[in-house]
Amino acid sequence: MILDLKPEIIFETSRSSGPGGQHVNKTETRVTLRFNVPQSNLLNDEQKALIAEKLSSHMTSDGDLLVSSQETRSQLRNKEICLERF
């Protein structure tokens, strides 16, 4: 059974680092997907514990699972990449 977790996902944007000339200095193309595991209403306690155990290095102290992408100059494509990784 595959759950649709999209209602509980938050996206944040920021400026990408690295080369890109003036474009990188004025557009927010880096996307970070944020999913709060402990507060999820869609996951059961066993699933939450498994995620916390396996992905603890990608989680904040508040229990937010973070997935980021700044691979492309397109904010939309970086959002899609985050969702694929998630």
Side-chain angles (χ1 to χ4, degrees):
M1 179 176 146
I2 297 176
L3 294 175
D4 182 15
L5 300 173
K6 289 180 185 174
E8 296 186 354
I9 292 174
I10 296 170
F11 290 99
E12 299 172 344
T13 60
S14 60
R15 292 185 181 146
S16 296
S17 62
Q22 291 180 353
H23 179 80
V24 76
N25 295 327
K26 62 185 178 183
T27 58
E28 294 190 346
T29 56
R30 177 188 174 124
V31 176
T32 301
L33 177 152
R34 184 177 290 268
F35 178 78
N36 190 283
V37 177
Q39 293 182 1
S40 175
N41 293 320
L42 301 173
L43 300 176
N44 63 39
D45 290 338
E46 185 178 317
Q47 292 168 323
K48 292 176 185 181
L50 183 63
I51 291 170
E53 177 187 335
K54 300 286 185 182
L55 300 174
S56 63
S57 64
H58 299 283
M59 294 178 71
T60 67
S61 59
D62 294 331
D64 288 345
L65 178 63
L66 303 177
V67 180
S68 295
S69 176
Q70 61 181 6
E71 294 177 19
T72 71
R73 290 174 59 170
S74 165
Q75 188 181 98
L76 178 61
R77 181 61 188 129
N78 284 331
K79 184 177 178 180
E80 292 168 350
I81 291 169
C82 284
L83 284 169
E84 290 167 9
R85 289 179 182 166
F86 180 70

